[in-house]
Amino acid sequence: MATPSMEDYLERIYKLIDEKGYARVSDIAEGLEVHPSSVTKMIQKLDKDNYLVYEKYRGLILTSKGKKMGKRLVDRHHLLEEFLTMIGVQEENIYKDVEGIEHHLSWDSITCIETLLEYFRRDPDRAAELLRIRSELDTD
């Protein structure tokens, strides 16, 4: 079972590999705002847990387990961003809020949020009504 910290690393590594084709310790450290030595320790742990294969001075590759988890974490992040946007959270708060809640929701809760988003996607008038009601509550 991945810890929240492991999830942050896997998500970052997955995104880097998707965007650049590789993930270097320095890029991971910069993205997560941690020291490179912390990255190396976590990479070794992720290697031990079969999320990736790490060869010192040669780089790392995600295993199928790591790719699957990384994609799942990136998808969860996007889903929560979309959800907060849809319910009217101010854009400048969304990233910080997602970072604050994403590790504290069960996968069951994530599935329920995904279902709710689909409900609103199927009839955009529902989403507009939700924002109208929120606007009314803000003025009270």
Side-chain angles (χ1 to χ4, degrees), residues 17-74:
I17 291 173
D18 188 50
E19 293 165 7
K20 299 169 83 171
Y22 60 90
R24 296 183 315 209
V25 168
S26 59
D27 295 328
I28 299 165
E30 182 182 325
L32 295 176
E33 299 178 350
V34 297
H35 293 287
S37 60
S38 299
V39 174
T40 301
K41 286 178 188 173
M42 181 57 80
I43 285 174
Q44 290 167 344
K45 181 167 180 40
L46 292 169
D47 185 1
K48 181 177 169 265
D49 290 348
N50 299 312
Y51 288 104
L52 56 83
V53 176
Y54 174 64
E55 293 181 27
K56 196 171 183 178
Y57 306 116
R58 293 184 48 92
L60 60 92
I61 57 168
L62 289 170
T63 62
S64 59
K65 176 182 175 182
K67 287 177 188 172
K68 182 178 176 183
M69 179 61 90
K71 180 173 179 2
R72 190 174 187 200
L73 296 169
V74 168

Side-chain angles (χ1 to χ4, degrees), residues 3-5 7-8 11 76 98-105:
T3 65
S5 180
E7 287 183 350
D8 284 339
E11 182 179 358
R76 175 183 72 184
V98 169
E99 287 297 313
I101 64 173
E102 66 184 341
H103 302 295
H104 303 285
L105 294 173

Side-chain angles (χ1 to χ4, degrees), residues 68-118:
K68 182 178 176 183
M69 179 61 90
K71 180 173 179 2
R72 190 174 187 200
L73 296 169
V74 168
D75 290 349
R76 175 183 72 184
H77 191 98
H78 290 309
L79 178 80
L80 291 172
E81 284 180 345
E82 183 180 354
F83 174 66
L84 294 181
T85 299
M86 183 171 281
I87 63 173
V89 173
Q90 294 178 9
E91 189 174 335
E92 62 268 14
N93 296 328
I94 291 175
Y95 182 81
K96 183 180 175 192
D97 287 352
V98 169
E99 287 297 313
I101 64 173
E102 66 184 341
H103 302 295
H104 303 285
L105 294 173
S106 67
W107 288 105
D108 181 50
S109 293
I110 296 297
T111 300
C112 290
I113 290 170
E114 186 174 29
T115 303
L116 182 61
L117 281 171
E118 183 58 28

Side-chain angles (χ1 to χ4, degrees), residues 124-139:
D125 291 339
R126 295 173 183 148
E129 177 68 6
L130 175 71
L131 293 176
R132 186 188 63 71
I133 292 168
R134 181 176 186 261
S135 177
E136 287 174 7
L137 294 173
D138 282 347
T139 58

